[in-house]
Amino acid sequence: MQSVQHILRLGFGGLLLSREAYRDQRDSPDGLRHGFVLVMLVGLLLGSTALIGNLGESISQPSSEAISQTVYQGLREMPWFSELNQSDPHFQADFDRIFQQVSQIIQIINGGGLIRSLTGLITTPVLMLLSWILFSIIAHLMARILGGQATFTQTLACTALASGVQLLGLVQLFPFAQASGTMLLGLVASYVAVREAHQLPPWRAFWATIIGPVILGLIMISLFCVMTFLILGSISSLLQGGIYP
Amino acid sequence: MIDTFNGALTLNQNLFRGMRESPDVVRRGLLLVLMVGLLVGTVQAISSMITNSSPERVMTEIETALDESIRQQALAASDDNQRQTIRLITDNKDGILKLVRAVMELPTPAPRPIGLSLQGLGFAFSMPFSYLGSLMLAVVSTHIAARQLGGEGNIQQMLGLSALSVAPHALDALGFIPAIGATLNLIAWVWGLVILVVATSVAHRLDSGRATLAVLLYPLIISLLFLFGCCMLFIITLVGGLQ
């Protein structure tokens, strides 16, 4: 219990950008072990609170099937539907097909709700662990190139403290609550971690920190563009081949 | 915390300098953001819960917004396609409203008041994060600019002191008042900007001119780039149209 308290205290030190916390972590012989436990603990807490929050959301909203059925009925009762139905004998079948496919796309984008939250119990700590290691590798290489002195173990120990910022995400315990704006604070915490671990001047620490997220951001933007074009292309081909054959 | 809040609003230099030298400058700043965010979030959540508790009132608001949107689109319509779209929306307006009402009246596993309370709670707890997001953008851009202009402060001092600029946003709690809400928001924004300049000046030991430049530099560059992009797009469209 005392150990958990110590780990959580480390996490809050990271969240509050305490230089002493980062320096202690760098010099501690147990820094890596404590850092690993902190990342896993924060991941597990985040996954659990997201599950509870999603449970609260699901009991205060109608089911997605009921919404889909109501929208379907509502659209069919509108004047535009009758007009097109009278002018085109295939319209109703095409409408049903397109509505079903659009509903499926929306459900895929919205995710599986509670099922996704349940899997999040496992995937959140694992993803946090992977992103911690990946970020540390890139930041360590860049910091060493820029004149940093820390060992890889010290880099890992310090960057683990930056995951303390994710403790703010515990607000997801409340249904409908959004912990926006924590990404930049996380980046700032990572900057402090790299700076304190490698004892670099501010600008060098800045570049060592920023290069990893920039590469990741470019990859994400590319993937997003490809996905958007694919989705828009499939919707467009559906509309052209459906309502207007 | 109240002293910090009052000191921020009155631009108390002693408070700013004291915080700069304090080892828990970030904690004090973030606590202020939390306090203001929860205050504003709670008041706005209660206001929104009162409005949403009556489905009739929500429907009236949606109908008014739809009418206004149709009216504005009709004024801006310049070709037959746009006019046809507006006619389509107008003809189906009753159907759209009936559909919205049907979705709103769908049964939920928990009683409606519980759902509304949970939404209010979520909104109230999200508000500090909304302020934190804007604050972090301002802190990062201003800190980078201040360092380029010769500032000496570190990111902890900059974050803790800049968090004081959230204090005037306690006025946002009165944003639900129709006549004065927008004016109060504007006052809070300008007041916050002044506090941010003072915070930058104290954190980085810069004079007022350089601190103002540090705060405005990147927003101005981004605005100019955006304006330049819009102008280029307009020229390209114009040239394409002429050809």
Side-chain angles (χ1 to χ4, degrees):
Chain A
M1 193 64 188
Q2 211 170 6
S3 176
V4 173
Q5 278 179 350
H6 172 69
I7 297 294
L8 284 177
R9 208 175 299 124
L10 273 179
F12 280 109
L15 164 65
L16 298 175
L17 312 179
S18 160
R19 297 173 84 165
E20 287 70 32
Y22 284 95
R23 283 175 191 163
D24 290 348
Q25 182 73 349
R26 178 192 65 203
D27 299 330
S28 165
D30 292 328
L32 180 59
R33 191 169 59 84
H34 287 161
F36 174 79
V37 176
L38 174 66
V39 173
M40 293 303 283
L41 186 65
V42 171
L44 277 172
L45 284 172
L46 278 183
S48 313
T49 49
L51 176 66
I52 296 168
N54 277 340
L55 267 172
E57 283 182 24
S58 64
I59 61 161
S60 47
Q61 286 176 328
S63 68
S64 57
E65 288 80 17
I67 294 174
S68 176
Q69 190 59 32
T70 309
V71 172
Y72 178 76
Q73 285 296 339
L75 288 173
R76 283 170 61 96
E77 285 167 11
M78 286 184 199
W80 70 274
F81 187 90
S82 314
E83 281 173 29
L84 284 171
N85 204 17
Q86 280 168 6
S87 61
D88 180 1
H90 302 293
F91 174 71
Q92 190 162 335
D94 291 337
F95 173 79
D96 286 352
R97 188 169 52 83
I98 292 167
F99 185 84
Q100 199 180 0
Q101 284 172 338
V102 171
S103 302
Q104 280 171 354
I105 289 171
I106 291 171
Q107 279 182 359
I108 289 168
I109 292 170
N110 280 343
L114 282 176
I115 297 166
R116 190 176 59 172
S117 302
L118 272 172
T119 52
L121 275 174
I122 300 161
T123 54
T124 309
V126 171
L127 283 176
M128 278 190 67
L129 198 68
L130 285 176
S131 54
W132 167 50
I133 294 169
L134 192 68
F135 172 80
S136 299
I137 291 171
I138 298 172
H140 181 73
L141 286 174
M142 283 303 297
R144 292 292 290 204
I145 290 169
L146 293 167
Q149 299 295 320
T151 61
F152 185 53
T153 308
Q154 285 174 317
T155 308
L156 277 170
C158 285
T159 49
L161 276 204
S163 68
V165 170
Q166 301 301 326
L167 284 168
L168 291 174
L170 297 184
V171 76
Q172 291 176 95
L173 185 72
F174 300 100
F176 304 102
Q178 299 289 325
S180 55
T182 54
M183 198 182 75
L184 264 179
L185 186 56
L187 208 56
V188 169
S190 303
Y191 158 79
V192 175
V194 172
R195 191 180 166 184
E196 294 303 330
H198 287 270
Q199 292 167 304
L200 283 171
W203 281 112
R204 291 187 181 196
F206 171 78
W207 290 115
T209 310
I210 205 76
I211 203 81
V214 164
I215 293 170
L216 188 70
L218 288 174
I219 293 170
M220 294 292 279
I221 289 169
S222 312
L223 282 175
F224 179 76
C225 288
V226 170
M227 287 295 289
T228 307
F229 278 122
L230 283 176
I231 290 171
L232 285 179
S234 58
I235 290 175
S236 161
S237 63
L238 274 174
L239 290 173
Q240 281 174 1
I243 296 179
Y244 310 110
Chain B
M1 188 45 62
I2 295 296
D3 288 342
T4 310
F5 180 76
N6 290 336
L9 291 180
T10 52
L11 301 173
N12 184 335
Q13 291 286 321
N14 289 333
L15 169 85
F16 281 77
R17 290 197 195 101
M19 269 187 76
R20 182 183 64 197
E21 307 305 333
S22 167
D24 60 352
V25 58
V26 177
R27 188 184 63 83
R28 288 172 68 182
L30 291 184
L31 273 178
L32 184 78
V33 176
L34 181 70
M35 188 185 86
V36 173
L38 282 179
L39 172 75
V40 175
T42 306
V43 174
Q44 288 190 358
I46 291 169
S47 159
S48 127
M49 276 161 68
I50 292 168
T51 310
N52 293 341
S53 62
S54 158
E56 289 307 321
R57 200 181 297 173
V58 177
M59 285 308 299
T60 310
E61 280 185 9
I62 293 172
E63 189 170 0
T64 311
L66 190 60
D67 285 340
E68 180 62 21
S69 163
I70 292 171
R71 196 181 64 81
Q72 286 188 356
Q73 284 183 47
L75 284 173
S78 56
D79 59 35
D80 280 346
N81 272 343
Q82 287 175 340
R83 285 188 203 99
Q84 214 169 355
T85 310
I86 293 161
R87 188 187 62 79
L88 190 73
I89 297 170
T90 312
D91 289 349
N92 291 279
K93 195 187 103 177
D94 290 339
I96 295 168
L97 292 173
K98 198 177 156 192
L99 171 59
V100 173
R101 180 183 285 275
V103 171
M104 277 175 57
E105 287 173 353
L106 280 173
T108 54
R112 191 173 157 76
I114 292 179
L116 278 174
S117 307
L118 288 177
Q119 281 180 13
L121 205 63
F123 183 83
F125 279 97
S126 300
M127 192 52 82
F129 292 96
S130 170
Y131 286 125
L132 180 68
S134 314
L135 173 70
M136 287 311 298
L137 270 177
V139 166
V140 171
S141 67
T142 307
H143 183 68
I144 292 171
R147 294 292 301 201
Q148 286 170 329
L149 292 166
E152 296 167 3
N154 59 42
I155 190 74
Q156 287 90 342
Q157 291 167 330
M158 189 61 203
L159 174 58
L161 288 174
S162 300
L164 300 179
S165 67
V166 175
H169 287 278
L171 284 173
D172 293 352
L174 303 173
F176 65 91
I177 304 173
I180 58 166
T183 314
L184 287 178
N185 286 350
L186 183 68
I187 291 170
W189 188 81
V190 175
W191 200 344
L193 195 67
V194 173
I195 295 176
L196 184 60
V197 170
V198 175
T200 308
S201 166
V202 173
H204 284 280
R205 293 178 169 88
L206 290 172
D207 58 62
S208 304
R210 284 188 181 211
T212 310
L213 186 61
V215 170
L216 299 178
L217 185 65
Y218 284 107
L220 275 177
I221 290 174
I222 291 167
S223 305
L224 285 173
L225 282 175
F226 180 73
L227 198 67
F228 178 72
C230 285
C231 287
M232 288 302 289
L233 197 69
F234 178 72
I235 291 166
I236 290 167
T237 315
L238 203 66
V239 170
L242 286 174
Q243 283 175 350

